Structures are given as structure tokens and as C-alpha cells.
Amino acid sequence: MPPARRYTKTHEWLVQSESPEAWNVGISDFAQQEVTDVVFVELPKVGRQVPRGGEAAIIESVKAAFSIYSPVGGTILAVNHALDGDPGLLNRDPYGQGWIFRIQPSDLSELDQLMDEHAYEQFLSEGGGHPEHG
Amino acid sequence: MKEASVVSPSGASGTAGTRPEMEPSLWSLSRSGARGVRPVSTPVPGDPPGLPPHLLRERPLGLPELSELETVRHFTHLSHLSRGVDTHFYPLGSCTMKYNPKVMDRVPALSGFSDLHPLTDEEGMQGFLEALWTLSELLKEVLGMDAVTLAPAAGAHGELTGILLARKYFGSRNESHRTEILVPDSAHGTNPASAAMGGFTVRTVPSNPSGHIDLEALDKTLSDRTALVMITAPSTLGLFEEELSEVVRRVRAKGALLYMDGANMNAFLGVLRPGDLGFDIVHINTHKTLATPHGGGGPGSGPVGVKAFLAPFLPNPRVVRSGDRFHVEESLDSVGRIRSFLGSSGVLLRALAYMRMLGEDGLRKVALYALLNANYLRKKLEGVLPGTGEGLCTHEFVLSARSLEKSGIHAIDLAKALLDAGYYAPTVYFPLIVPEALMIEPTECESRAMLDRFAEDFIRIVGLSRTDPDALHHAPSRTPVSRPDEVRAARDPILADPLRDLRR
Amino acid sequence: MADFTPHTVEETREMLEFLGLSSLQDLVRNYPVEQTFPLLPLAGSGMTEREVLREVEGWARKNAGASSVVVFRGAGSYEHFIPEAVPALIGRGEFLTSYTPYQPEASQGLLQAIFEFQTAVSSLFGMDLSNASLYDGATAAAEACLVALRHTGRPTLLVSEGLDPAVVSVIRTYVEGVGCRLVRVPMSGGLTRMSDLEPLLSEDVAAFIGSIPTFWGTVEDFSGFREALSGKGALFLLHANPHSLSLLRSPGEWGADLATGEGQPLGIPMMGGGPYLGLMTASRSFMRKIPGRLVGQTVDREGRVAYVLTLQAREQHIRREKANSNVCTNETLLSLAALIYLSLLGPEGFREAGASSHANAMKLRKGLSEIDGIRILHPDVPHFHEFLVEYPMPAREVSRMLLSRGYLGGLPLEGYSGPGGPNRMLWCATEVRTGAEIDGVLSALREIMSGRTGK
């Protein structure tokens, strides 16, 4: 796991993209294993405002659907259309090509409430909870 | 030879079974120019007069071309590649796969029913209306309700109807602030989906560890915003709410209505009546409790019973009796129409025949023997896998295969091995609140011999998880195909035969 | 009394003993005791097969079914020729008594049949895909409207006056809960005109829904509708009688986003109104938005072609309150009937049935136009197999007099708005009507009308 990545208790990650105004969001390796083979990702509309913890995307496996909650409040800047044709990217490269959307945080202080890598690993080792069914 | 039901009770060993051959697609069998049944003796030649060319279809119909015999063989072969209650024990939990008596198929096929136009003048459908009215009366009696609508086409359609009734009722009382519906976490997925379709907010009530509604949690979720509380009794865990009367009391105290999802009525048909228990609305699945065939997923029917104060809101149109005449009426207070015509008569007439044949004692026997069979099989399987609940179960029970995870075996592997052993599989992964769930419902129609045989095979198959887990991973080996690649099916779905585009 | 519990007295006793119980009543000792075993006097003492058949035959005989009267009524339910092979095949126990094919390995035959149904219906509608069926045509149309409302996030539905009023009622029932508004697009001269649609198009409109043919029998020209609607970001929905698509331009050819229909004319008996078959088709971009089951083709572990229920994550058993719909039970057995019907008729037979329906209806219309006192409505507009007439007297009375002469005439339109009215009647003739039957009903009408003018 590269540094400076931040995590939620619902297993999303957030990492700065090209500027402090633009952050990529995806799901953790633990989450992609729990979800099993992703068959479809419902991406948010670019330009949409999402509150912190609001449902921003949906990931479908064969037998389940999972809500992806935005780690911070903000505006959706871009979405990863590569997932439309190859949703398996989310399983194969959850921290890289499997990113889901890019967000412009409306309040950077919200970042402080997320876990760093160490805290997330600690959270997982303590039982960490399973991703929530959507 | 294409025969699916050649399996013997001793299947699911490590040796590969014989797979029946799959049937080619209808379009691959098509021969250009072949004709089947001719609908008219003298076809009209040329283009239809009076229909200008720009209104006519240009795109090919894309239908296959076969002889009548080729069509008959194709579908007969397909039937060999499927299993029904007529061919196999079908312990599919929460689906009540009981025997569908053959005489019931004769009833809707009678002239005067099957060939009756739904908008026939009332004087031309008195017998039909009387039959439906008689069924309503019988349903009112077993449900303990004051009025019944036969319109809903399925259980979920009945739920939607009940939810629309609640909306209309509270609207009539200026209580439209009631915007929430409470659903226990063990409920069928249709409950929350129906509530959402009716425009309500769904609030989930958690179960306590024994599978019953948590009363404290109920109190926290109940409020003056609650319109309806939907309860499945017995619950999907096969348990009767321990404190049902307490649940009823608390919901009533908040002015909300009580809905019973009657999907599990096989557990108490003729023994208890939802109306007596304090429910205001209930639906019954005729294709579960009243032995109408499931038809591969439908048609079913989900009549809804209500207490008198909700009767004015029932869907249009309704059958009413005045004197010895029957009428079809509409009411302005109604929630409206929920389907084109009166109801799924072909299904309802079967249900009517079933209730008439059973009579009072027969109806009771349904529930008592459903309970006997479920409890017998459950006890036979005791100690094989952990189950839910203490004491007696109702008409079905849930086992958890979680303890087999260490051998890499999941509920689905057991289900597949049961297919090899000559059964349909139990319901797996439902209810969601039990990990690795296997839900088993034998129904009243199975003999002790069948239950004994099934128990033996089940125990043997669970034993394989220790001795030969690979055999379970490779199951089923005697079905036409092995496990299909569902990920591939969902990632890039093929939903129509590409060969159709080559047809005229 | 009939009995479907196989236990002998001895077996029952032994099973109870095994459970440590002394009677069957002990099995319900956890139930709310004071309410158990209510009296059920209406249920009676039960009947044998023979007795119950006697009883229902008595009810069946009192009805004017198509075996005792000649049917010229349609309006959403149609008498068509049904080959005997259809009931014979769908009555096979492997189909009739099976459940939704959740275990694909033990249900390949049923799954393949549903896949083939999806293929035939999508092809007939000229659309990319079809689901495995919904309850009936009206609920299918209502579900399509819900898809449009969700997809666009807009609150208004434009509903053509050509749509069956019963279908409109069901749409209203379905969408009222979610706070949506229905706006009627009026017809003029029996057709929905672009000039009536355009002023109603706004940023609020989720979709327009039209009908092929209209409830009143006319055939619409939807040229330009697709462009006008998508220009405003609204969806184009069509509700079609599948029998008419043997001849008429299909929803796909008109550019529909979603198309629905009542599948009853495809080999399903009228049965007093149900069970029928809801058809739902869509263009591929709505694949994950439509409700109902879908069967997909895939391969098994050894690469054999195999069929499975797919895209299940849309459905209620997974998505619960966020599902596309609450639909669970559908009409699989009747979708099988429709598929077998289409396969038996083939493209040629299906076209012949459609052409004969049209020809018979036109012959009837011409005959009616020649009877004094009967006025044909929309005489210069194209029709398929239904049409409107007006009498100088209540149509209900005409219907009653026809019934006493052995004819179920057209539908009296008392209480219907739009082109309806107490003196109007909607006639239908399908391919099953013979020349003699048409001549017969015309002569009965001449008698009725002359009796009337003679008064």
C-alpha cells in the first residue's frame, strides 16, 4: 500500500491525485476480496455533489450489491470509465487502475477524520466489519 | 437419449456422473421455409389493404422455422433438462413446493372459464363471478378477515396492494405524515422493495439472537411516522414470533397498521387466522399454500385480506353479490386498478378447487403435516449442522454450513451435491442473517420414506466435506452442465440468441 | 374428502413418537394457544375430485365463453387460435411444477426456454433485449414508466389517449406513490399528433408513452417522436399488442427506448382476464435498469453452453428497498406458452394470422358501415383489427341484444372518456372469425337496427 492513502471504516480509500483539489477514491484490497468478482460498477454523474458518507457509486458482484460511500463531501470531478468495459480492474488493481471516481473535497478538514494506513490495518485486524450490502 | 432424471440416490461420489446432453437452440434447429401449425386455411394474399407502407414493419420477425414435430421434440427435450415437484423432491425453503393435484389443472381449462372474455356482459359471466366470490368467502374465513381482493398477481403484488391500502387509509384520515414502513431484517426482500415502490421510507427492525423481533429495537423504530409494520409469521427462520401479541399491542398503540406476509401460511393454515392475531392486512400466496403450480416462477396469485375499515380502499374492479346476482363494480375510494382485469382466474379457480376438496379438516391437516414433516426431518439432521432456534420448528428450518468453511465447503457445494443425489436443492444463502444458510421445507406432501432417504443422503454429503471435499467442489456431475460461469454471464450479458438476426 | 398427505396412521404415530410428541396438536404448542383451531364452517367437509369437478362445471356452464358465443370483443383480451401443442407442452410437470430456476444445473431446460422467449420477444418488438416477463401488459407498462422516472429523475409522464384506459389506471396506481404526475396527450381524429405532443414537452417530462395500435384500433404514425423526445431528454415508450407486430412497424423501428405489451394474444387463453403475460423489452442501454428476471447465456466449467439467471443484483432479493422493482414471481409458464406459440406458427404463420385478423376486421367494418343508423368513426385512418362505431342508441343495449342472439359483440364504451361514450362500441375481429360468423353478426345487427328504427 503506497503512503498518504486514507481509509474509511466502510473500506473506501482516498488519495490525492494531481492537486490538493482532486482526490481519487476506490475500495481497499480487503473490500475487493469480500465483494468477490465485480461484474458492474454504477458510476456517479460528473458534477454531482455528494455529502461525506453519501452513496456515490454501487458495485455489483453476481450475488450482491455494495454501496460505495464518499469518504469526504465534495464534487465529483471524474469517473473511471475503464470500469465500464472491465469491471475486473477493481479486483486486479484496487489501488491503481481500479479507482472509481475523483472528487474535489469541499472541506479539506474532513480528511483528518479518515484513518491512515496503519490505523486501517489495525481496524481490520480488530475485526473491521464487512462491507455493507447496498 | 436426453434424460435428466436418471440419477440414483447414491450419487455425489467422487466419480464423474453421466451428463444428459444439452438441447440445441431453437434458432439453430430452424430450417428456412419450414412450416409448423397453420393458423388459417385461406391466407390473405398480398400486402394488407388500408395500411400504408410506412406503418408496416420492415425488420424481419426473427422467428424460428420448424415443423410441428420438431417444435414438440425441442420443448419435450427441454423439459427433460428441468426438474419439478412431479419429478423430484423439492425442499426449497420458503417456496412451499408441495404437490399440485392434477384435477386442479382441469378446472381453468373448462369451456366457460378458459374461453371467457374478461369484459363479457355481467349476465354472460354469472357462474365465473360466483366462483370467484365463493373463493373470496373461503379466503375470508381462513384468513379471519372481513374482505378480500383477488386481484394481486403474486405475493409481492399483494404486498404492494397492502401498502397502497395503508397509504390511502392514512390519507383519508389526514395522517399522511406516516411515511415509514418497518420491516424486520429477516423479511423477504420483497417487503422492503414493495414499501419503497409504494413511496415509503423503509426502516429495518433487527432480530434478537434467537431470530425473533427485538422488542426494544421495535420501540426505538416505531413512531408516529410509522404507517405499517410488515411481519412474516412464522418468520423466515421458521419461528413464530414469541411475543407476537406484544408486537401487535405496541404497533397498535402507535396507531400504525399491521401487515402479515402470508408467504409462510403453510405453517398455520386452518390452525391460526391472521385476523384473530390482530393483523389488519394479509396476503396469501396461492402458489405456496393453496397448491397452485409454480410454473417455473409464475403465474402465481396473491389475494389480500383486510379488516372491514380497509375494505372501501380495495383495488378496482371488485366482484359483489346482491341477492343471487353478481356484479363487477368500481369504487372511487379504491387505491385504483393494479392490473388490467379482475385477477389471475386460471390460478384462482385452481385454488378454489383445492380448498373445496380439502374442507375444514383437510385444511388443518396441511399445516399439521407440514409441521410434522419439517420437525421430523430437522430432528433426523440434528447434530449434522447447527440450526437456528430451540424446540420445535414450524414448516421449515434453517441450517448453517459455516462450520464446514474450514474444509473449504460452502452451502452452495452441499446444494450442488444434493442435485447429484436426485433432489432439487434447499434454498441457500437465505435468510441473509444466517451465514451459509440452507433453508429446508419438506411440505406436507412428502412421505416418511422420502424424508428418511433425503436425510441419509444429506448426512452422507456433509460427511464428504471431511473425507472428499473435492467431490463436493466438483458437484454436480450428473446434471446437463456443471456450474455455469455466472461472472462471465453478468459482466458481458448475452440475453438473446445471436442466431435470431440471421432469420427472416 | 381429498387428501394430499401421504402418511399412514402408523407412520404418523411413529414420527410423533420420534419427536417425543403424543399428538399432531402438540406440534403447535408454541402457537398463541387461545386462538388455535378456529371453526371453519364455510370450508365444509371436503370433496372428492369428481364432486369438485361437478361443482365447478356448474359454474363454468353459466358463462358465455367462446365455445357458446361468437366473440367480436377485444379491448385488451383477444380470442386467437391456440395450437393444441401449446397446452400439451406447458402442462409437462417438469415445467408446470418447477420453481424459478435458481439452481441452474437442474433447470437448464427451463432457463434455455426463457432465453429463447427473450430472443423471440425482443426480435418481435425490434428491440435489443427482453426480460423473462412481468404480471401483465398493464403492470409492464407501469414498470416501464417507473424506469423512466428513475432514469431521468423527472416527475411528469405524458400518456397518449390512445393507450388502453385500464393500462393508464394501473400506471396511475403505480406512480402515485412516488409523487409523479400523469398528463394526457389528447388524440385528434383518432391519432396522437406531434402538434399536440410538442407543447407539452418540457424539462419536467420523463417520458411519453404511446400505443401500437391504439386502444381504439387506429394505427399511429410516430415519425419524429423519437427525435422530439430525446431532444428534450425524455424517453420514448411504446406499448404494443404483439399480435399486431406481425404486420405493423415495431417499437424498435420507431426508436423506442423501452417497449411493453400484453402477451395474451400469443397462445394464452382469455380466461376471464388472467393470468396474462407482461412483456418488457428495452434497448441495451437500459439493460441494468429494467425490472424482472433475465436469463443469460454463458459457459460451464468445461466450456459447455449454459444458461443462468443473471444481473440479479438489480433484484429485490439482493437490493431490497433499493431494487428496481419488488417483482419476484413472474409469468414464466405463460412466457413458455408464447414462445411455443411463436415457434409453431413461425414467421409465415404469424404473418398469416395477423393479416387475417386485419382482413376480417376490415370486412366487418365495411359491413357495419352499410347498416342504416351505424356510424363508423375515424373512417379514413388506418386500423389493425379493432375499430369504433356509434349507434343512435346505448351500445349496452345493442350488446345485450347481440348476446341473446349468440354474439359477444363489440365492447360498449359507456364510462370511457376520449373517443368513448354511451352510444359507442369497440369492435374486434381476429383470424378465428369465419366469413359466415361475420355475415351472421351483421344480419343480427341489421335486425336490431331495423327493430329500432321501426319503433
Side-chain angles (χ1 to χ4, degrees):
Chain A
M1 295 185 194
R5 204 177 285 277
R6 296 163 206 237
Y7 297 85
T8 65
K9 287 187 174 177
T10 45
H11 309 282
E12 293 86 6
W13 55 255
L14 181 80
V15 73
Q16 187 179 318
S17 174
E18 67 263 24
S19 76
E21 302 284 278
W23 295 65
N24 281 1
V25 176
I27 62 167
S28 72
D29 187 50
F30 168 81
Q32 71 78 17
Q33 285 180 42
E34 285 283 309
V35 168
T36 71
D37 292 317
V38 175
V39 298
F40 179 65
V41 183
E42 194 177 314
L43 298 165
K45 279 204 176 110
V46 173
R48 207 184 104 190
Q49 307 274 333
V50 277
R52 174 170 165 246
E55 185 185 273
I58 294 171
I59 291 179
E60 292 180 5
S61 68
V62 168
K63 292 280 153 76
F66 301 87
S67 297
I68 304 305
Y69 304 105
S70 187
V72 292
T75 308
I76 306 287
L77 296 174
V79 295
N80 184 4
H81 280 298
L83 295 172
D84 291 339
D86 185 5
L89 279 174
L90 236 158
N91 297 110
R92 298 197 303 276
D93 192 7
Y95 296 115
Q97 292 183 69
W99 66 278
I100 300 170
F101 60 88
R102 188 166 302 151
I103 190 165
Q104 177 178 12
S106 45
D107 177 3
L108 286 173
S109 72
E110 283 180 2
L111 292 164
D112 301 337
Q113 300 179 41
L114 301 171
M115 292 179 276
D116 62 15
E117 187 188 326
H118 177 75
Y120 181 65
E121 280 184 347
Q122 182 76 21
F123 171 69
L124 287 182
S125 68
E126 285 162 4
H130 295 272
E132 191 177 328
H133 281 252
Chain B
M1 163 103 177
K2 298 179 173 77
E3 182 61 62
S5 46
V6 292
V7 285
S8 73
S10 56
S13 64
T15 59
T18 320
R19 293 195 188 280
E21 230 179 283
M22 282 288 280
E23 170 71 8
S25 114
L26 199 48
W27 278 263
S28 71
L29 296 170
S30 179
R31 296 177 293 114
S32 192
R35 296 288 309 259
V37 175
R38 288 170 198 262
V40 289
S41 53
T42 320
V44 186
D47 280 337
L51 288 173
H54 72 282
L55 298 181
L56 296 180
R57 89 177 279 146
E58 288 167 29
R59 207 169 283 181
L61 281 164
L63 299 175
E65 296 166 89
L66 293 90
S67 73
E68 179 171 345
L69 176 58
E70 285 167 325
T71 298
V72 168
R73 283 209 181 123
H74 175 73
F75 289 100
T76 305
H77 291 165
L78 289 185
S79 76
H80 293 161
L81 302 176
S82 273
R83 298 180 184 186
V85 177
D86 280 3
T87 58
H88 291 77
F89 177 38
Y90 228 95
L92 194 64
S94 112
C95 300
T96 314
M97 300 301 288
K98 62 168 77 175
Y99 173 57
N100 310 132
K102 295 300 160 192
V103 63
M104 290 160 62
D105 298 338
R106 175 86 190 115
V107 178
L110 293 170
S111 297
F113 289 144
S114 75
D115 59 355
L116 181 65
H117 192 284
L119 301 174
T120 301
D121 304 34
E122 275 174 17
E123 56 264 40
M125 57 193 323
Q126 285 297 305
F128 175 68
L129 297 178
E130 185 175 355
L132 294 185
W133 181 84
T134 305
L135 175 62
S136 301
E137 293 298 301
L138 290 172
L139 288 173
K140 273 158 65 177
E141 186 177 75
V142 295
L143 298 174
M145 290 292 182
D146 302 314
V148 159
T149 172
L150 300 177
H157 207 207
E159 291 170 23
L160 179 63
T161 305
I163 285 158
L164 296 171
L165 285 168
R167 163 180 293 280
K168 202 83 184 176
Y169 168 72
F170 286 120
S172 77
R173 292 167 54 93
N174 295 319
E175 291 184 64
S176 298
H177 58 274
R178 294 186 182 269
T179 54
E180 293 180 355
I181 290 182
L182 272 47
V183 179
D185 57 2
S186 63
H188 292 119
T190 52
N191 290 180
S194 302
M197 250 180 122
F200 285 91
T201 305
V202 179
R203 302 202 59 192
T204 305
V205 186
S207 305
N208 60 29
S210 60
H212 297 281
I213 288 184
D214 184 330
L215 283 177
E216 261 178 54
L218 177 70
D219 281 341
K220 280 189 202 139
T221 348
L222 263 177
S223 74
D224 57 5
R225 291 186 305 280
T226 312
L228 193 67
V229 180
M230 299 180 83
I231 292 173
T232 305
S235 73
T236 46
L237 293 173
L239 304 170
F240 229 97
E241 287 305 332
E242 255 167 354
E243 296 165 274
L244 191 58
S245 61
E246 190 50 33
V247 172
V248 170
R249 201 188 60 75
R250 293 183 191 198
V251 173
R252 285 197 177 281
K254 285 287 182 191
L257 298 181
L258 275 142
Y259 185 100
M260 181 195 268
D261 180 334
N264 295 339
M265 207 169 289
N266 224 45
F268 59 87
L269 183 68
V271 174
L272 279 177
R273 309 196 301 175
D276 297 342
L277 296 173
F279 287 91
D280 303 297
I281 313 172
V282 57
H283 82 257
I284 179 168
N285 303 69
T286 62
H287 46 289
K288 294 180 181 176
T289 315
L290 300 180
T292 67
H294 280 76
S301 166
V304 169
V306 296
K307 291 283 172 63
F309 68 94
L310 291 169
F313 309 108
L314 287 175
N316 284 331
R318 316 113 176 245
V319 179
V320 294
R321 185 171 82 159
S322 62
D324 56 358
R325 302 293 292 170
F326 297 88
H327 306 282
V328 181
E329 285 189 359
E330 304 226 345
S331 149
L332 285 174
D333 293 326
S334 163
V335 297
R337 207 174 261 266
I338 59 162
R339 65 184 300 157
S340 277
F341 301 111
L342 267 177
S344 297
S345 330
V347 177
L348 296 166
L349 291 167
R350 282 177 159 101
L352 170 61
Y354 182 70
M355 294 185 81
R356 295 296 279 166
M357 280 192 289
L358 291 186
E360 187 175 14
D361 291 340
L363 289 168
R364 272 186 201 128
K365 269 181 98 174
V366 166
L368 293 176
Y369 279 90
L371 296 174
L372 179 68
N373 276 358
N375 278 287
Y376 179 82
L377 185 55
R378 181 166 174 252
K379 184 146 193 204
K380 280 265 178 183
L381 297 179
E382 213 168 48
V384 179
L385 289 177
T388 52
E390 301 288 310
L392 293 170
C393 67
T394 57
H395 66 306
E396 62 190 359
F397 58 94
V398 180
L399 300 177
S400 170
R402 193 173 211 177
S403 58
L404 307 182
E405 270 181 338
K406 54 186 184 297
S407 351
I409 296 299
H410 298 273
I412 192 77
D413 301 314
L414 302 180
K416 300 303 181 193
L418 284 166
L419 299 181
D420 272 344
Y423 308 100
Y424 201 79
T427 296
V428 287
Y429 303 111
F430 184 81
L432 303 172
I433 53 177
V434 177
E436 297 292 331
L438 287 144
M439 193 178 202
I440 299 173
E441 180 181 8
T443 82
E444 72 278 12
C445 298
E446 298 299 335
S447 67
R448 184 180 63 176
M450 177 57 87
L451 302 180
D452 288 343
R453 192 192 118 180
F454 178 79
E456 257 175 55
D457 280 321
F458 192 90
I459 292 166
R460 181 177 51 76
I461 286 165
V462 172
L464 285 177
S465 65
R466 288 182 302 272
T467 57
D468 190 3
D470 260 6
L472 295 180
H473 288 138
H474 291 125
S477 62
R478 291 162 171 263
T479 48
V481 296
S482 61
R483 295 185 204 186
D485 185 342
E486 299 194 55
V487 172
R488 174 174 161 150
R491 276 188 179 163
D492 192 13
I494 303 172
L495 303 174
D497 191 334
L499 288 174
R500 73 167 176 186
D501 299 328
L502 308 173
R503 311 305 321 169
R504 56 194 180 113
Chain C
M1 155 190 115
D3 189 344
F4 308 105
T5 46
H7 310 68
T8 65
V9 175
E10 188 64 6
E11 283 168 348
T12 304
R13 195 185 53 75
E14 286 170 13
M15 289 170 81
L16 286 169
E17 222 165 69
F18 177 70
L19 292 169
L21 303 175
S22 52
S23 75
L24 286 167
Q25 281 68 25
D26 283 353
L27 285 158
V28 296
R29 64 187 176 200
N30 294 338
Y31 285 19
V33 174
E34 57 281 17
Q35 283 132 342
T36 50
F37 301 110
L39 293 176
L40 306 170
L42 280 182
S45 52
M47 290 182 176
T48 64
E49 264 194 44
R50 191 180 150 78
E51 287 163 348
V52 83
L53 275 180
R54 274 287 152 75
E55 181 175 60
V56 294
E57 277 163 5
W59 284 321
R61 262 197 301 277
K62 288 192 208 165
N63 305 316
S67 51
S68 56
V69 295
V70 184
V71 177
F72 286 97
R73 197 165 286 187
S77 178
Y78 302 89
E79 189 196 359
H80 287 289
F81 161 63
I82 302 176
E84 288 304 322
V86 174
L89 289 168
I90 67 166
R92 292 187 63 86
E94 300 91 333
F95 293 136
L96 183 69
T97 68
S98 65
Y99 193 71
T100 304
Y102 283 129
Q103 294 291 335
E105 301 87 348
S107 317
Q108 280 301 298
L110 188 61
L111 285 162
Q112 183 176 333
I114 298 171
F115 179 77
E116 291 176 350
F117 165 81
Q118 292 173 184
T119 306
V121 168
S122 53
S123 188
L124 191 54
F125 276 70
M127 302 290 285
D128 295 333
L129 56 97
S130 159
N131 78 2
S133 78
L134 295 167
Y135 306 139
D136 71 356
T139 57
E143 292 269 13
C145 290
L146 290 176
V147 172
L149 294 171
R150 267 194 308 268
H151 177 77
T152 59
R154 299 173 176 190
T156 304
L157 286 170
L158 302 182
V159 180
S160 160
E161 201 173 66
L163 199 61
D164 180 346
V167 174
V168 177
S169 302
V170 175
I171 294 175
R172 182 172 293 116
T173 306
Y174 266 62
V175 304
E176 238 170 27
V178 291
C180 147
R181 197 168 66 106
L182 250 60
V183 175
R184 196 176 63 144
V185 186
M187 294 195 303
S188 44
L191 297 171
T192 318
R193 319 264 173 184
M194 182 64 89
S195 54
D196 289 319
L197 175 67
E198 263 175 336
L200 298 170
L201 278 177
S202 71
E203 302 299 318
D204 271 356
V205 173
F208 162 83
I209 179 164
S211 185
I212 305 176
T214 68
F215 178 74
W216 320 101
T218 57
V219 181
E220 302 254 36
D221 180 351
F222 289 115
S223 305
F225 276 53
R226 161 85 207 185
E227 294 71 20
L229 288 160
S230 39
K232 294 281 185 184
L235 301 189
F236 183 24
L237 314 186
L238 285 172
H239 189 67
N241 177 339
H243 181 73
S244 77
L245 300 181
S246 55
L247 302 183
L248 300 181
R249 202 173 164 84
S250 64
E253 288 168 285
W254 289 119
D257 294 295
L258 296 157
T260 53
E262 173 52 71
Q264 182 272 332
L266 305 178
I268 296 163
M270 294 186 288
M271 199 66 83
Y276 286 176
L277 174 64
L279 305 175
M280 170 165 288
T281 64
S283 67
R284 195 156 172 101
S285 50
F286 292 92
M287 177 171 72
R288 293 176 194 270
K289 311 236 170 184
I290 61 171
R293 292 182 172 128
L294 289 165
V295 171
Q297 194 182 55
T298 182
V299 293
D300 76 353
R301 285 174 173 177
E302 289 86 39
R304 282 179 210 91
V305 169
Y307 301 90
V308 287
L309 289 172
T310 191
L311 305 186
Q312 293 190 65
R314 302 162 299 121
E315 294 188 59
Q316 48 78 24
H317 61 283
I318 290 174
R319 203 69 82 90
R320 298 174 82 80
E321 69 266 27
K322 290 177 189 164
N324 286 359
S325 164
N326 68 343
V327 72
C328 174
T329 288
N330 60 14
E331 307 292 314
T332 302
L333 195 74
L334 302 178
S335 66
L336 194 56
L339 171 66
I340 295 168
Y341 170 86
L342 290 169
S343 168
L344 285 166
L345 265 67
E348 209 51 47
F350 191 53
R351 257 193 300 266
E352 285 173 5
S356 288
S357 293
H358 177 251
N360 283 341
M362 292 308 101
K363 183 179 174 192
L364 176 66
R365 188 169 75 143
K366 182 162 182 300
L368 286 168
S369 74
E370 289 161 358
I371 297 175
D372 271 356
I374 297 182
R375 184 168 79 92
I376 305 288
L377 276 82
H378 317 129
D380 302 320
V381 173
H383 285 71
F384 178 58
H385 68 346
E386 290 177 283
F387 58 91
L388 286 172
V389 306
E390 188 174 72
Y391 306 103
M393 60 198 283
R396 194 177 282 278
E397 241 175 84
V398 178
S399 177
R400 195 177 45 75
M401 288 188 272
L402 283 170
L403 193 60
S404 68
R405 288 166 169 82
Y407 297 98
L408 186 67
L411 181 72
L413 295 173
E414 190 184 318
Y416 284 79
S417 60
N423 286 8
R424 294 188 173 179
M425 184 176 264
L426 180 65
W427 284 86
C428 174
T430 69
E431 83 285 358
V432 297
R433 292 288 70 88
T434 64
E437 288 167 340
I438 293 171
D439 291 344
V441 78
L442 287 172
S443 106
L445 276 160
R446 267 191 293 272
E447 200 182 296
I448 292 167
M449 297 311 290
S450 67
R452 155 96 197 164
T453 43
K455 265 181 202 167

